Amino acid sequence: MMDWDALYEACMSCRKCPLAETRHHVVFGEGARDAEVMLIGEGPGEQEDRTGRPFVGRAGKLLDDMLAMIDLNRERVFIGNMVKCRPPENRDPLNLEQEACISYLRNQVALIKPKIIVCLGRIAAIKLIREDFKITREHGQWFEKAGVQMTALYHPSALLRDPRKRPESFEDLKALQAKIREICTHTYPV
């Protein structure tokens, strides 16, 4: 396992898959290095590729609003992605790209040691929770893997495309807040 500095350098210089050829910036992820909650999306979009920061476009603004609804912000959680470079035209990351990047994400998880992992969208849930995960049926449900509580929410970009999913996403957020209060020790100030 690499320490934070070595992991960051490895990500920044990565050439393991073709996404390295078209990226502007590697999106390493950001937030608290001792976060009890990690949020993991599928891959960077156009704004993320331009800035090197996760979830900064329209979907990122919505994610910030979603976190604020449950008294959280980017400084209290860690936000990352399955792949660290933008897939062309924001397509889903290919299995080859996910496999090239998964060791970086696993290293981040090992360093952070979160109590909760929130998959943002179907792609992350399929990779991290279960291969046959169905986001429309299983969003908001809890799963335990290797001592970590895991759940999936609709990706913020899906909520932008279909606002009818927002009420159930709000319920999922309230359940996340309850789980954080139940098992986390320093995510919410006392």
Side-chain angles (χ1 to χ4, degrees):
M1 181 171 80
M2 292 181 263
D3 66 19
W4 279 107
D5 292 336
L7 180 59
Y8 181 82
E9 289 306 317
C11 284
M12 291 301 119
S13 61
C14 181
R15 312 292 293 164
K16 289 184 189 178
C17 81
L19 294 181
E21 303 305 317
T22 57
R23 72 178 178 225
H24 291 98
H25 289 95
V26 173
V27 181
F28 182 74
E30 66 183 26
R33 289 187 176 182
D34 67 343
E36 293 176 297
V37 180
M38 279 185 82
L39 293 97
I40 301 170
E42 56 197 45
E46 182 178 8
Q47 294 304 315
E48 292 77 10
D49 183 45
R50 287 182 186 195
T51 63
R53 296 186 60 218
F55 286 89
V56 293
R58 287 181 60 228
K61 170 71 172 104
L62 179 55
L63 179 61
D64 289 344
D65 293 345
M66 292 166 68
L67 291 173
M69 284 181 204
I70 57 170
D71 303 316
L72 288 178
N73 59 43
R74 288 175 179 258
E75 289 76 40
R76 289 207 183 119
V77 299
F78 189 91
I79 302 173
N81 282 300
M82 294 294 307
V83 298
K84 308 296 185 198
C85 300
R86 179 186 182 211
E89 305 301 316
N90 294 344
R91 67 161 165 70
D92 291 346
L94 303 175
N95 284 336
L96 164 88
E97 296 156 354
Q98 291 180 46
E99 287 306 313
C101 253
I102 195 68
S103 65
Y104 299 137
L105 180 61
R106 287 184 180 133
N107 202 146
Q108 287 176 316
V109 170
L111 288 168
I112 293 170
K113 298 180 183 80
K115 293 182 179 180
I116 296 172
I117 292 178
V118 179
C119 298
L120 297 171
R122 171 182 61 86
I123 301 296
I126 287 171
K127 189 69 171 180
L128 299 177
I129 296 175
R130 196 179 66 248
E131 271 182 22
D132 63 345
F133 191 90
K134 303 288 186 218
I135 192 79
T136 53
R137 277 189 303 208
E138 297 178 286
H139 65 86
Q141 294 181 25
W142 289 95
F143 304 84
E144 188 267 325
K145 287 183 81 175
V148 177
Q149 292 293 315
M150 302 182 78
T151 191
L153 305 179
Y154 284 115
H155 194 285
S157 61
L159 298 175
L160 289 171
R161 287 190 303 273
D162 186 358
R164 293 170 300 176
K165 292 182 168 114
R166 288 187 182 194
E168 53 193 310
S169 291
F170 181 73
E171 293 303 317
D172 294 346
L173 286 168
K174 295 308 276 183
L176 171 59
Q177 184 179 43
K179 183 66 79 173
I180 293 169
R181 290 192 191 286
E182 175 189 337
I183 68 173
C184 296
T185 59
H186 65 267
T187 300
Y188 287 121
V190 178

